[in-house]
Amino acid sequence: MLIKRKEKWQESENSVTGENAYLNRRNILLGAAAAGAATIIPSVLAQPQRKLNALSARKTDYSPGESPSPEEAITQYNNYYEFGTGKSDPAQNAWRLQPKPWSIQVDGLVDKPATYGIEDLIDFNALEERIYRHRCVEAWSMVMPWIGVPLSSVLKKIGVQSGAKYVRFETLADKEQMPGLRWPVLDWPYTEALRMDEAMNDLSFLVVGLYGKELPNQNGAPVRLAVPWKYGFKHVKSIVRISLTEEQPVTTWQASAPREYGFYSNVNPEVSHPRWSQARERRIGEFGRRPTEMFNGYGELVADMYAGMDLARNF
Amino acid sequence: MPEGMNTVTSITTNQLRRYGKPIVFLALLVPAIWLTWNWWLAFQYQPNGLGFNPQETSNRFTGDWAMRILLMSLALSPLAKLIKSPKPILFRRMVGLFAFFYVCLHITSYVWLDMLFDWVELWADVMKRLYITVGFAAFLLFIPLAVTSTKGWIKRLSARRWQTLHRSVYVIGVLVIVHFIMMRKGFQAEPLIYAGILATLYLLRVKRVRALLGRA
């Protein structure tokens, strides 16, 4: 007899069925809506997308028991300011990005500092698919079928030195490929960081694929971060540099508005963004708002790391 | 109305009243019709133009149009002075009331479609979120202007007091732009463009500035 232990962060089986059926009704309709819009808008404004090759990945237990959001929503409703500040700008402009070949500069407190080809850091034969909830700081959310490898696997390859306390990531900042860089919306290059224990947590995931294929440009090709208990802007895209540091790095949004965006940026319904409440969120495709869960529902896997910390101050 | 003053066009005031006003009226109605039509489609689960976050789309769409039409209404007086014709003033009340109409749609979109009449949360938002407080203040200031927009009210208040009251539109203009700037994340160009247009429209009201342009 098969006994399956249910983790607390997983939905119970009976709620899964109900929720799936419930969500699907809307997803199908939303998908139809998207298909309608998709045929008109990009064909006029954008260049064709690069061909996305299929990726083979094993499925893991990291699934919240909710259906992934429609592929059209995930790939056409994006915040990627390097390609423009509008939600549809990345899907229209990201065709300029050249994700192949791709190299990543690794420096700081590592045993093997070098500029690596992406294939040297990420084992494409060990890809897993994980279904993660994704909560944007703007109070909307989706469910993402990511494909990738644990961040810890890459950190092990580059050799973390004992003094390293933080992992800092940088996004590509190339004016030729990214029209959004012409205006200083943010202090480019986009920089994000994790504390070492956060980076080594099994949930921290380096994403190279979506919906069974390579990651589309507008979602951060060829490699981006997924840390589902944190707000979406921590999920740094198109990573070109990984640095291990002793000092806590200043992240881009922290530098832009320190009162609004903290270093940790853990999803927390009790700590409001100064300009809007974080208590509830709109799941894309649903009409109303649903309550936001502490750590986006991943508390059992991550809460220990923040034991004793005042999360209202360390927001 | 002194017809001979018009140097730009030979369209008469009567023609503007008879044809110009309905045309402008219909044109200013187009965004509202587009929005209503698309929400109707959305409620029928039909493909629509509201995108993946329809509430966000409609909040922004109605806010954008309220702001644009308010700027249009503020452009009519300086335009009249610049072309030395009172004709643009014919449209001022209508355009101003359309701005108020889109403000009402903006609030409807937020209160109904976005917040689903959750009054507790709404009140908390108005009090706690400065940009919503600012937007709400602009709305409150706008109400007396819309109410007193009729000829009857001009008489009742006397033209001078009416004009003083309606100068509060300059405060509303500033509040609206501040509301827009505060709503955006990061350092974005679009709100600054609107702020620049507003500032230009205010400056054109200063005689000396117009004199510099050679059209005092």
Side-chain angles (χ1 to χ4, degrees), chain A:
Chain A
M1 185 177 151
L2 176 77
I3 298 171
K4 189 168 174 272
R5 198 168 68 89
K6 186 179 85 69
E7 305 286 348
K8 277 220 185 86
W9 48 266
Q10 291 176 316
E11 305 266 329
S12 64
E13 290 289 340
N14 54 1
S15 85
V16 170
T17 319
E19 188 131 35
N20 279 350
Y22 173 72
L23 278 174
N24 262 334
R25 172 177 61 97
R26 288 164 191 270
N27 288 349
I28 291 161
L29 293 158
L30 191 72
T39 47
I40 305 161
I41 301 164
S43 60
V44 179
L45 295 167
Q47 301 286 316
Q49 291 283 339
R50 79 191 161 94
K51 195 183 168 300
L52 301 170
N53 296 322
L55 294 176
S56 56
R58 67 192 166 89
K59 297 202 187 299
T60 68
D61 289 336
Y62 285 110
S63 167
E66 298 174 74
S67 318
S69 298
E71 190 172 356
E72 293 81 5
I74 301 177
T75 58
Q76 290 170 38
Y77 185 80
N78 306 95
N79 277 325
Y80 196 165
Y81 283 8
E82 284 85 340
F83 294 106
T85 53
K87 290 286 190 301
S88 52
D89 290 347
Q92 281 171 27
N93 297 328
W95 58 270
R96 294 167 206 269
L97 181 73
Q98 299 290 335
K100 287 178 188 176
W102 194 263
S103 53
I104 299 170
Q105 184 189 336
V106 173
D107 56 17
L109 302 169
V110 289
D111 293 334
K112 293 170 236 168
T115 298
Y116 292 88
I118 186 172
E119 311 75 14
D120 301 327
L121 289 180
I122 289 163
D123 184 353
F124 280 81
N125 295 314
L127 298 179
E128 356 172 343
E129 178 173 70
R130 296 183 177 185
I131 317 290
Y132 274 176
R133 280 185 287 262
H134 183 89
R135 170 63 159 77
C136 178
V137 74
E138 295 167 346
W140 53 264
S141 62
M142 295 198 209
V143 180
M144 310 297 205
W146 295 133
I147 290 171
V149 297
L151 173 60
S152 60
S153 72
V154 172
L155 293 176
K156 274 169 203 153
K157 267 186 200 172
I158 61 178
V160 178
Q161 294 188 345
S162 57
K165 293 191 180 125
Y166 296 91
V167 185
R168 180 182 178 280
F169 303 90
E170 251 179 51
T171 296
L172 178 73
D174 179 4
K175 282 200 172 98
E176 301 289 305
Q177 298 178 62
M178 299 169 142
L181 295 181
R182 277 180 247 145
W183 180 263
V185 182
L186 293 167
D187 192 6
W188 322 108
Y190 193 92
T191 303
E192 261 306 337
L194 299 171
R195 214 170 57 187
M196 190 55 71
D197 57 337
E198 297 177 322
M200 297 302 282
N201 187 292
D202 196 48
L203 269 186
S204 292
F205 202 49
L206 276 179
V207 174
V208 297
L210 172 73
Y211 260 109
K213 300 183 289 271
E214 292 172 313
L215 196 59
N217 290 355
Q218 62 269 32
N219 295 91
V223 57
R224 55 97 49 93
L225 185 67
V227 276
W229 73 100
K230 292 175 180 288
Y231 290 119
F233 67 88
K234 295 290 290 184
H235 297 49
V236 51
K237 301 188 178 87
S238 306
I239 298 166
V240 290
R241 188 175 171 193
I242 299 175
S243 315
L244 303 197
T245 67
E246 195 183 346
E247 300 285 303
Q248 182 175 298
V250 177
T251 69
T252 297
W253 279 106
Q254 256 185 308
S256 163
R259 281 181 56 250
E260 301 190 354
Y261 308 99
F263 176 81
Y264 290 97
S265 295
N266 293 321
V267 175
N268 188 341
E270 281 142 37
V271 178
S272 283
H273 185 281
R275 287 185 282 153
W276 55 81
S277 164
Q278 297 291 24
R280 294 184 300 154
E281 68 201 52
R282 173 165 295 109
R283 176 64 53 82
I284 295 301
E286 292 179 5
F287 190 78
R289 292 179 192 238
R290 52 164 74 195
T292 288
E293 293 179 75
M294 187 66 204
F295 296 116
N296 204 18
Y298 294 97
E300 188 174 331
L301 300 166
V302 298
D304 293 353
M305 296 191 290
Y306 311 103
M309 276 175 71
D310 179 354
L311 295 178
R313 285 189 59 204
N314 296 288
F315 57 89

Side-chain angles (χ1 to χ4, degrees), chain B:
Chain B
M1 233 165 263
E3 296 290 337
M5 291 203 31
N6 184 14
T7 53
V8 175
T9 158
S10 58
I11 300 172
T12 67
T13 303
N14 274 340
Q15 282 171 322
L16 280 179
R17 282 219 174 90
R18 196 176 298 159
Y19 306 109
K21 278 193 165 184
I23 290 170
V24 173
F25 186 93
L26 288 174
L28 292 177
L29 213 49
V30 167
I33 292 169
W34 182 90
L35 187 72
T36 314
W37 169 244
N38 278 285
W39 268 114
W40 187 83
L41 288 175
F43 277 114
Q44 312 291 317
Y45 295 105
Q46 296 291 312
N48 62 73
L50 297 172
F52 297 102
N53 195 343
Q55 287 86 351
E56 182 189 65
T57 305
S58 90
N59 285 347
R60 290 187 173 196
F61 182 84
T62 51
D64 283 348
W65 279 104
M67 180 170 56
R68 286 173 195 151
I69 296 173
L70 180 67
L71 290 176
M72 285 181 211
S73 76
L74 284 167
L76 293 172
S77 300
L79 178 68
K81 294 234 165 82
L82 287 174
I83 65 173
K84 295 186 174 148
S85 156
K87 281 174 184 167
I89 306 299
L90 278 175
F91 298 91
R92 198 168 55 178
R93 171 166 55 194
M94 188 170 74
V95 178
L97 280 171
F98 259 108
F100 183 70
F101 170 63
Y102 278 91
V103 168
C104 291
L105 287 183
H106 185 52
I107 289 169
T108 306
S109 172
Y110 170 63
V111 171
W112 171 29
L113 300 166
D114 194 353
M115 303 299 280
L116 298 172
F117 303 110
D118 185 339
W119 299 108
V120 178
E121 188 126 330
L122 273 165
W123 187 245
D125 260 3
V126 171
M127 299 313 287
K128 269 171 81 180
R129 323 283 169 211
L130 188 58
Y131 88 101
I132 296 181
T133 317
V134 168
F136 191 65
F139 170 62
L140 292 183
L141 285 174
F142 215 149
I143 295 172
L145 304 197
V147 170
T148 61
S149 65
T150 60
K151 281 196 179 120
W153 270 103
I154 302 178
K155 270 189 200 144
R156 233 167 292 166
L157 287 172
S158 86
R160 244 189 64 211
R161 272 192 293 172
W162 184 88
Q163 208 159 30
T164 312
L165 172 66
H166 280 246
R167 285 207 180 105
S168 62
V169 73
Y170 300 130
V171 181
I172 296 170
V174 172
L175 291 176
V176 163
I177 299 290
V178 169
H179 173 70
F180 186 40
I181 293 173
M182 289 181 74
M183 195 213 95
R184 291 295 181 97
K185 288 159 63 197
F187 179 65
Q188 296 198 22
E190 203 189 348
L192 300 182
I193 293 168
Y194 281 98
I197 293 170
L198 184 77
T200 309
L201 293 177
Y202 285 3
L203 280 172
L204 285 174
R205 287 174 158 74
V206 181
K207 256 189 190 156
R208 268 192 220 157
V209 174
R210 289 201 305 273
L212 279 176
L213 294 170
R215 288 175 184 264

